[in-house]
Amino acid sequence: MAPTSESTAAPAPAVGAAAGARREYRFARPVRWSWWISGAISVLVLLGVVDFLVNGRNWQWDVVAEYLFHPDILVGLGNTIVLTVTCAITGLLMGGVVAYLRMSSNPVFRAIGAVYIWLIRAIPALVLLLFIFFLAALLPQIPIGLPFLPPFASLPTNTLISQSTAAILGLTLIQGAYIGEIYRGGILSVPRGQLEAARSMGMTHWQAMRRIIAPQSIRVVIPPLGNEMITLFKNTSLVFVIGYTELLTTVQLIYGETYQTIPLLVVACIWYLALTSIAMLGQRQLEKRFGKGFRGVDD
Amino acid sequence: MSTTETVRAPLVRARDVEKRFGEHTVLSGIDLELQEGQVISLLGPSGSGKSTFLRCINLLEQIDSGEIRYRDEVLGFELRDGVYHPLAEKRKSRQRVHFGMVFQQFNLFPHLTALENVCEGLRVVQRQSRAEAEERGRFLLDRVGLADKAGQYPAMLSGGQQQRVAIARALAPRPAVMLFDEPTSALDPELVGEVLDVMRELADAGMTMLIVTHEMNFAREVSDAVALLDQGRIVEFGAPEQVLTDPQSERAKAFVNAMKRK
Ligand SMILES: Nc1ncnc2c1ncn2[C@@H]1O[C@H](COP(=O)(O)OP(=O)(O)OP(=O)(O)O)[C@@H](O)[C@H]1O
Ligand SMILES: [Mg+2]
């Protein structure tokens, strides 16, 4: 209908070109020197590393092989996984609480959230874990009641805080602060108009959060959250200070007796490497799943 | 249109509405009545408070004085013993359902397809079944000429198509009043027509509409009345021909002349 329908007509012959004799266009392939050079250097470095790993005297690969599937190691590994998964779940929940506090319209909640994050950022993870574990020394009885008044009841701290509860509590508190900030960043990354559009059609705040804001923030939140989960997974090794026997503690116990320090650390690294790889694969799948509707917009 | 009743209570009535942002008074003394089936266009220079007024009606902003009613219902407040108590968010959400809002920036949900965008409110707010919601969704997409785009995500649609989906989405819960906030201002000129066509059809079908727009010709053509806003006040109100060709106040004259020059 429009006068622009020329393009749908048969291609007009190029001016001056003889019918049938089509010119061939040949394109040179660019030589990417930088690729070749960096590739060559990488191969050299890689060979060096392999040489170092294979021919180095003190790796003691036979010891590594002996301990890789050693029952004690597997128990420690199991404990690491259990602690990671537990703290991942509690940390994700705690993060929700923190984000809620930080974004609340209630100024008291906002202040609590801010102080909490400030403290967690300031206190080294190791110190926090020790504090929680030795809480019994500071506060032998946990009083239930109001400050400055005699408590209604009290619970002995030592029975409440074992190595595993201290580990879970400590890691949850730490993860919660960081994950809360990740959530907040995710929510803030969704344009304001989205919430307004959702509200304007009669959704309540929570409906809008759940149906409109959350699905859009997940996409933004997954990469830093994946990072945080892998950090958590390695942070579980910190709980050795309070004597929770996870993978690294087990390894240390063994080399404390056998003095085969290096091969046992290699064993631990191999397991950390394996589990991290699995976690990263999972993250890739999630990113694909929540990228719907955004492909072609920003990648 | 309505011959049985000549005088009806207005569908929306704003009285002496005032809105401030801090020290800055954005709306003051706004009086406006919107009858059922009527189309009113709001015109005025940038910053005159047009968007803010629509947002106050739809309770995205809370007014500081005055009153807005939908039929007999006070919007956003409960009147007890002569005092206006702000409503809880839940009840505001329920009142928002009377209005369908179309935004300048479309604000489609990017993670949902066109059809899902239209169905979302029906599913979540009206709690309709998927089948029920989709039937209405497809009907509305067809009505705005986008039946074949149901499965597309917003990022794959042109601006005009996105805005038509947004109109379908706003229509889905059968609002009594449609509010349009400069629905064509973010569009390339060649896409403006398709959106105005949809709005024209809506007006012809008897929808009650309040439209903020800079499209003078369109406003003249579809509106029953035009209100000219300046610095938060309605400086001129009347039939489109009168307001847009022969404005009375100096401010209105200046604005209409400026618009004509464009
Ligand atoms: N949330 C807010 N906080 C503070 N000031 C605001 C806010 N929203 C709007 N304003 C101010 O209120 C005034 C009116 O804004 P509004 O968006 O209603 O104007 P408008 O008539 O829609 O203009 P435009 O044609 O540019 O869309 C402007 O001065 C604007 O800066
Ligand atoms: Mg505006």
Side-chain angles (χ1 to χ4, degrees):
Chain A
M1 42 175 166
T4 51
S5 53
E6 266 169 333
S7 53
T8 54
V15 182
R22 269 234 176 133
R23 211 185 130 195
E24 218 179 280
Y25 295 89
R26 294 170 63 210
F27 288 81
R29 184 181 277 200
V31 184
R32 304 192 195 262
W33 288 110
S34 64
W35 292 16
W36 284 105
I37 294 170
S38 56
I41 294 175
S42 305
V43 168
L44 278 179
V45 171
L46 199 66
L47 286 175
V49 171
V50 170
D51 178 37
F52 174 56
L53 288 176
V54 173
N55 297 328
R57 281 290 152 80
N58 295 323
W59 290 107
Q60 297 172 282
W61 288 105
D62 50 329
V63 182
V64 171
E66 182 191 335
Y67 278 105
L68 194 56
F69 296 101
H70 188 283
D72 290 353
I73 295 285
L74 293 184
V75 169
L77 180 67
N79 285 342
T80 291
I81 295 175
V82 168
L83 189 62
T84 306
V85 172
T86 310
C87 293
I89 295 169
T90 54
L92 289 171
L93 294 175
M94 185 71 190
V97 174
V98 175
Y100 175 79
L101 290 174
R102 286 278 279 160
M103 304 190 82
S104 168
S105 54
N106 179 336
V108 179
F109 284 1
R110 279 205 307 275
I112 294 173
V115 168
Y116 169 71
I117 288 171
W118 172 62
L119 284 178
I120 295 293
R121 279 184 175 157
I123 303 173
L126 210 64
V127 177
L128 185 73
L129 284 167
L130 286 170
F131 259 132
I132 293 174
F133 186 56
F134 293 117
L135 196 61
L138 298 171
L139 191 70
Q141 301 276 311
I142 294 178
I144 299 181
L146 294 170
F148 299 112
L149 297 176
F152 310 129
S154 59
L155 297 166
T157 308
N158 266 331
T159 58
L160 280 183
I161 299 196
S162 67
Q163 283 155 344
S164 46
T165 47
I168 292 172
L169 195 62
L171 291 176
T172 302
L173 287 175
I174 295 164
Q175 295 298 308
Y178 297 121
I179 292 176
E181 287 294 271
I182 293 176
Y183 286 166
R184 194 167 69 95
I187 291 169
L188 290 178
S189 77
V190 180
R192 224 189 129 60
Q194 291 289 307
L195 186 62
E196 294 192 340
R199 306 296 312 265
S200 79
M201 54 209 268
M203 285 195 207
T204 65
H205 187 76
W206 283 112
Q207 285 172 333
M209 275 290 161
R210 194 166 45 90
R211 302 282 309 197
I212 305 303
I213 307 300
Q216 292 185 60
S217 6
I218 286 179
R219 192 180 63 97
V220 181
V221 150
I222 289 174
L225 219 51
N227 222 357
E228 202 54 43
M229 288 299 121
I230 287 164
T231 308
L232 164 67
F233 167 60
K234 287 188 294 183
N235 262 351
T236 54
S237 64
L238 290 177
V239 301
F240 81 89
V241 293
I242 57 176
Y244 180 92
T245 49
E246 43 68 67
L247 183 57
L248 195 63
T249 318
T250 312
V251 160
Q252 285 173 324
L253 287 176
I254 296 173
Y255 72 60
E257 282 174 23
T258 64
Y259 297 103
Q260 291 159 321
T261 312
I262 302 231
L264 276 152
L265 287 176
V266 170
V267 167
C269 282
I270 290 175
W271 279 117
Y272 283 125
L273 208 61
L275 294 183
T276 303
S277 310
I278 294 173
M280 286 172 72
L281 279 179
Q283 179 183 339
R284 268 255 287 284
Q285 293 305 313
L286 283 176
E287 277 178 31
K288 271 193 203 154
R289 178 149 169 234
F290 289 101
K292 266 192 305 182
F294 289 93
R295 247 159 271 142
V297 180
D298 48 23
D299 61 12
Chain B
M1 202 154 287
S2 57
T3 44
T4 44
E5 285 170 85
T6 37
V7 184
R8 298 182 71 171
L11 210 52
V12 180
R13 187 176 59 199
R15 262 197 193 165
D16 211 8
V17 168
E18 184 168 322
K19 174 68 195 170
R20 289 184 295 266
F21 287 113
E23 293 292 286
H24 182 31
T25 302
V26 176
L27 296 175
S28 54
I30 300 279
D31 286 308
L32 191 78
E33 289 190 357
L34 185 61
Q35 306 289 335
E36 193 159 1
Q38 208 179 18
V39 176
I40 294 185
S41 291
L42 283 176
L43 280 79
S46 179
S48 56
K50 307 177 298 288
S51 301
T52 305
F53 182 54
L54 287 196
R55 295 164 58 84
C56 286
I57 295 178
N58 205 14
L59 304 177
L60 291 172
E61 305 283 357
Q62 184 174 312
I63 60 176
D64 295 299
S65 179
E67 182 192 81
I68 306 177
R69 281 183 192 247
Y70 169 78
R71 297 190 197 273
D72 293 334
E73 213 178 317
V74 180
L75 292 175
F77 295 88
E78 189 174 27
L79 188 54
R80 269 185 271 135
D81 308 327
V83 180
Y84 290 89
H85 299 267
L87 287 181
E89 275 302 321
K90 266 234 165 69
R91 299 206 25 213
K92 284 192 194 169
S93 299
R94 246 172 270 148
Q95 291 186 330
R96 289 193 182 101
V97 178
H98 301 313
F99 305 96
M101 180 107 169
V102 176
F103 300 87
Q104 186 175 350
Q105 300 297 337
F106 329 135
N107 294 348
L108 286 184
F109 305 133
H111 60 301
L112 302 178
T113 63
L115 181 63
E116 287 167 340
N117 262 279
V118 181
C119 294
E120 186 68 5
L122 298 175
R123 300 275 286 132
V124 178
V125 182
Q126 269 74 24
R127 302 195 179 282
Q128 291 185 4
S129 71
R130 176 181 292 271
E132 208 179 346
E134 284 192 355
E135 194 191 325
R136 173 129 181 98
R138 287 187 192 282
F139 167 78
L140 285 168
L141 281 181
D142 187 42
R143 198 166 154 195
V144 299
L146 291 172
D148 54 329
K149 302 288 183 196
Q152 304 263 313
Y153 286 98
M156 298 163 177
L157 300 175
S158 75
Q161 292 169 335
Q162 289 190 51
Q163 193 60 299
R164 279 144 69 197
V165 174
I167 293 174
R169 177 179 70 175
L171 286 170
R174 302 175 201 277
V177 181
M178 285 289 284
L179 307 171
F180 293 86
D181 190 1
E182 298 193 37
T184 58
S185 296
L187 296 177
D188 291 340
E190 73 272 20
L191 301 178
V192 168
E194 60 188 68
V195 173
L196 294 184
D197 285 345
V198 168
M199 293 171 63
R200 197 175 288 118
E201 275 169 36
L202 269 178
D204 290 345
M207 176 56 89
T208 312
M209 298 165 48
L210 191 54
I211 305 171
V212 173
T213 183
H214 289 305
E215 302 285 333
M216 298 272 271
N217 291 329
F218 176 74
R220 191 191 317 245
E221 181 195 335
V222 301
S223 316
D224 299 304
V226 171
L228 225 87
L229 240 72
D230 190 53
Q231 299 188 343
R233 294 177 178 280
I234 294 184
V235 291
E236 192 106 5
F237 182 87
E241 284 307 324
Q242 189 251 307
V243 174
L244 297 178
T245 48
D246 182 27
Q248 301 302 304
S249 69
E250 286 307 313
R251 285 188 178 285
K253 272 180 195 156
F255 175 72
V256 170
N257 284 333
M259 290 301 291
K260 273 189 195 141
R261 247 174 277 129
K262 273 203 274 183

